[in-house]
Amino acid sequence: MFYTKNFDDNMEIIPYMPVMSFISICPSFNAEDANVYIRSSDNVLFGLHAANIEVVTGGFPFDSSYSTVPGVPDVPEPAALLEKLFAYFYPDFPDIEFADFPTFQDLLNFAESAARYHIRPARGISKEFLRRYLLSYPREILAFAAKHSYHSLVREIAGTELMNTSLAEIKELLRNDYFYGVWSEHKDRRTSAVMQAQACSLHVHSGMSCTTWSSLKSDILLQLNRPSVLESHWDISQLFAPHKASAKHDCCFSALAEWEEVVADIATNLPTFAL
């Protein structure tokens, strides 16, 4: 096999050196009948099968236009990541486990590559694993989900404390006008609902001479001050429960129970985050 190079308009025929003679081979991807080769960023060669790649990805997602070795796509991922990723081209490879990713960044890198190369099963499992980090790394996951149109992840993050974040920061994370429009509208509705829930404190307690209601009301209002607090009945009940338990007068307990019921009803009637 040969390839050509043109130096000063003189065509030079150069023997094509077998790629296996100067690049290390990944032992797990070195089948004799491999017909596609991919080179990692740390110079490890992977022998794959074009038919498997096309079945899993729906095409051929690797670009060899600027490869160092003619016909062998150079990819930016290291071999350790590619071993996990390329396992999804073959049904007989062991399943990837959550424990195979020591850190969140390892998992995010894997998820990014799975999305880049359209490896459907890897995309699915990485999305499931990312859900375990929703509360720890919501900003990073939101940016990733918006970039790759993972609607379910965006919806789930909208139900976390990140809904309280400024819209300027959210716009920077989303970098998507459609997602940002839905997010900002959802937050506006939640903010208006919170104001409505706060206003209920003005009429649920009728005892003007009660000496403890003012303190209880203030404590509730301090917590009922962010859009995310109306995301679930559980959050609302947890907000009121300790104050109901410590209420010294029946009038205060009754007022808190009524207020909680009204707030829960407000939350129930709010539309969900829909993309």
Side-chain angles (χ1 to χ4, degrees):
M1 184 181 297
F2 300 89
Y3 68 92
T4 62
K5 284 188 176 180
N6 194 335
F7 298 100
D8 299 324
D9 297 325
N10 295 315
M11 190 70 72
E12 181 180 356
I13 307 299
I14 303 174
Y16 183 85
M17 295 291 292
V19 292
M20 296 181 187
S21 65
F22 53 91
I23 301 174
S24 62
I25 311 296
C26 177
S28 301
F29 295 88
N30 191 24
E32 291 184 1
D33 61 343
N35 54 9
V36 172
Y37 291 94
I38 307 292
R39 187 168 68 160
S40 68
S41 61
D42 46 358
N43 209 37
V44 176
L45 197 71
F46 289 77
L48 307 172
H49 297 82
N52 293 52
I53 295 173
E54 291 183 3
V55 166
V56 172
T57 66
F60 190 79
F62 305 104
D63 183 10
S64 59
S65 302
Y66 304 99
S67 299
T68 305
V69 179
V72 179
D74 291 329
V75 296
E77 293 84 2
L81 189 156
L82 293 180
E83 281 196 71
K84 296 183 180 71
L85 193 66
F86 291 164
Y88 286 95
F89 290 142
Y90 300 92
D92 55 342
F93 269 76
D95 290 337
I96 303 298
E97 304 290 344
F98 181 71
D100 293 327
F101 302 97
T103 68
F104 168 74
Q105 191 59 51
D106 291 328
L107 174 58
L108 189 61
N109 291 342
F110 176 83
E112 186 69 45
S113 298
R116 178 184 301 125
Y117 302 125
H118 313 291
I119 302 177
R120 290 187 289 264
R123 282 167 60 105
I125 195 65
S126 61
K127 186 163 61 173
E128 289 304 312
F129 288 162
L130 283 171
R131 284 190 167 94
R132 305 189 188 187
Y133 284 109
L134 279 182
L135 298 182
S136 304
Y137 296 94
R139 287 170 172 79
E140 293 83 351
I141 297 176
L142 181 62
F144 167 82
K147 176 181 178 182
H148 297 291
S149 296
Y150 285 7
H151 290 199
S152 61
L153 282 180
V154 176
R155 283 195 297 270
E156 290 173 46
I157 295 172
T160 70
E161 292 286 330
L162 200 62
M163 183 51 61
N164 306 322
T165 303
S166 72
L167 288 177
E169 182 177 349
I170 292 299
K171 187 174 185 178
E172 183 65 23
L173 291 171
L174 289 174
R175 295 181 177 272
N176 179 304
D177 290 341
Y178 171 65
F179 285 161
Y180 176 73
V182 175
W183 186 287
S184 59
E185 183 177 352
H186 184 80
K187 182 171 183 175
D188 285 346
R189 287 173 175 166
R190 288 297 188 275
T191 301
S192 296
V194 165
M195 295 174 64
Q196 183 183 353
Q198 291 172 335
C200 294
S201 65
L202 300 175
H203 55 77
V204 292
H205 193 283
S206 58
M208 300 300 292
S209 61
C210 180
T211 58
T212 60
W213 174 243
S214 178
S215 177
L216 285 171
K217 182 178 74 171
S218 296
D219 288 343
I220 293 288
L221 289 175
L222 282 174
Q223 298 173 70
L224 194 63
N225 66 348
R226 59 196 188 282
S228 67
V229 79
L230 298 181
E231 288 300 330
S232 74
H233 281 289
W234 186 90
D235 290 336
I236 295 167
S237 67
Q238 292 300 304
L239 188 157
F240 282 93
H243 301 288
K244 287 161 63 178
S246 62
K248 297 179 179 179
H249 303 120
D250 290 343
C251 59
C252 292
F253 182 90
S254 298
L256 290 171
E258 181 182 348
W259 193 4
E260 178 183 350
E261 184 178 350
V262 173
V263 173
D265 187 59
I266 291 171
T268 298
N269 289 297
L270 281 171
T272 58
F273 187 93
L275 290 173

